Every structure is written in structure tokens, then in C-alpha cells.
Amino acid sequence: MTDTPNLPILLVPDPRLRAKAKPVAEADADRVRALAPRMLAAMYAAPGIGLAAPQVGELLRLVVIDLQKDEQQDPIVLVNPEIVAASKELATREEGCLSLPGQYAEVTRPAVVKVRYRDLTGARHEIEGEGLMAACLQHEIDHLDGVLFVDYLSALKRNMLLRKLAKELKAKQRD
């Protein structure tokens, strides 16, 4: 995708993962156009299906998603995404996060969402997601507000998961 080195993905408890990202302004256009392909490369290398700019240390409202249906890359770049509608119907599915590697939990969210965003040319779009796409859109947009999927869990489950991650990361550092 690009010849530049991969962007490192921040891991919990990095405080930048809890910061609120700022809207992308016209002055950020070149920076965002350069950042998006690097984010996609980092996401594919991880491997993952979504990545938000705060996860690579950029506090901008920028998200990349690729569900890779049929093993084909089909990326979407969302600049300043916002959820404009959400179903009352809820769906529960297992979620993970590149910033919490190897950790998964069941999360309940609206089953269908409509998201308004701009692409890299500045054109406005809307996407309606259901199933995995709905969960992915909500998960990545949460990152822009400093929210992690573990925030939807009970304190007990969240603490168990975070302790397990800390233990695994510590063990990896020793290896």
C-alpha cells in the first residue's frame, strides 16, 4: 500500500486513546490524505478491519474500515464521521481492538446505524451499516471520543480483561 514504515498502533493504557479527537479542517487535508493510506497499511498488517487516527497517535476525526468481504480489499476512509441515526433494536457481538490485542468481549450496540462523513476529496457521503459494519462503525467512531469497547463492560469484566492484557504485554516484553 505504501513504502513508508508502518505506523505503530498505540496500546492501552496510552492516554492518547482516551483523548477526544478534533474535527478535520480544510488546513488538515494534505496531512489526512497522507495519513489515510498509512493507517490502512497498519490496519492490514495488524491485521484488523478498522482503525481510528487516535490509535496511531493522531488526534483527528479520521477512520479507516475494510471488512474485506470475499478476501478482497475494499477500504472506506471516513473523515469527520458522525452517527446521524441508530436503530432502537440492539445487537450483541464479540468485539476486539487493535489497541487491546488478543482481548475480546461481547458488546451490545444499536443493530443498525447511519453515518455521515466526508471522503478524502471532501465529498459528503452517508453509509448505513448493519451487522459487522454497524458494530465496526460505532467502535471506530467511539475511538474518536476516547471511548474503548471495554467501557461497555461491567467493571469486573473490564478490570479482568485489562489485567490480562497488562500481564500478556509484560510477558511479551520479557521474551
Side-chain angles (χ1 to χ4, degrees):
M1 177 137 294
T2 140
D3 295 331
T4 55
N6 258 356
L7 293 168
I9 296 172
L10 302 179
L11 302 178
V12 166
D14 192 299
R16 291 170 288 182
L17 293 169
R18 292 301 191 171
K20 194 166 170 63
K22 72 179 186 74
V24 173
E26 238 174 85
D28 301 314
D30 288 341
R31 184 169 151 212
V32 166
R33 275 194 289 275
L35 181 59
R38 295 184 69 209
M39 284 175 57
L40 283 164
M43 179 189 75
Y44 291 134
I49 60 170
L51 188 65
Q55 291 179 273
V56 295
E58 295 285 345
L59 293 178
L60 290 169
R61 297 188 77 79
L62 173 67
V63 165
V64 296
I65 291 176
D66 189 347
L67 301 185
Q68 299 177 49
K69 289 189 175 109
D70 305 320
E71 311 279 320
Q72 296 295 311
Q73 290 185 355
D74 186 22
I76 308 168
V77 177
L78 301 95
V79 178
N80 293 332
E82 60 177 320
I83 296 171
V84 294
S87 66
K88 286 190 182 359
E89 179 193 345
L90 301 176
T92 301
R93 60 184 316 121
E94 188 177 70
E95 290 189 26
C97 179
L98 297 177
S99 293
L100 291 103
Q103 309 307 308
Y104 301 92
E106 298 280 313
V107 177
T108 301
R109 300 178 180 273
V112 181
V113 291
K114 184 186 285 186
V115 173
R116 186 174 298 141
Y117 67 98
R118 293 192 182 272
D119 64 20
L120 290 174
T121 69
R124 287 177 65 129
H125 297 276
E126 278 190 1
I127 184 172
E128 191 168 295
E130 60 182 292
L132 180 58
M133 179 58 89
C136 192
L137 286 163
Q138 292 172 84
H139 177 112
E140 298 309 331
I141 291 170
D142 273 353
H143 273 298
L144 303 179
D145 295 319
V147 176
L148 302 173
F149 83 93
V150 294
D151 297 338
Y152 291 91
L153 307 177
S154 69
L156 177 67
K157 275 187 183 171
R158 180 175 49 252
N159 290 336
M160 283 174 48
L161 195 141
L162 292 173
R163 274 197 301 275
K164 182 179 168 211
L165 174 64
K167 188 176 174 183
E168 288 173 9
L169 293 174
K170 202 173 199 175
K172 220 179 246 183
Q173 285 175 343
R174 284 195 300 262
D175 292 347

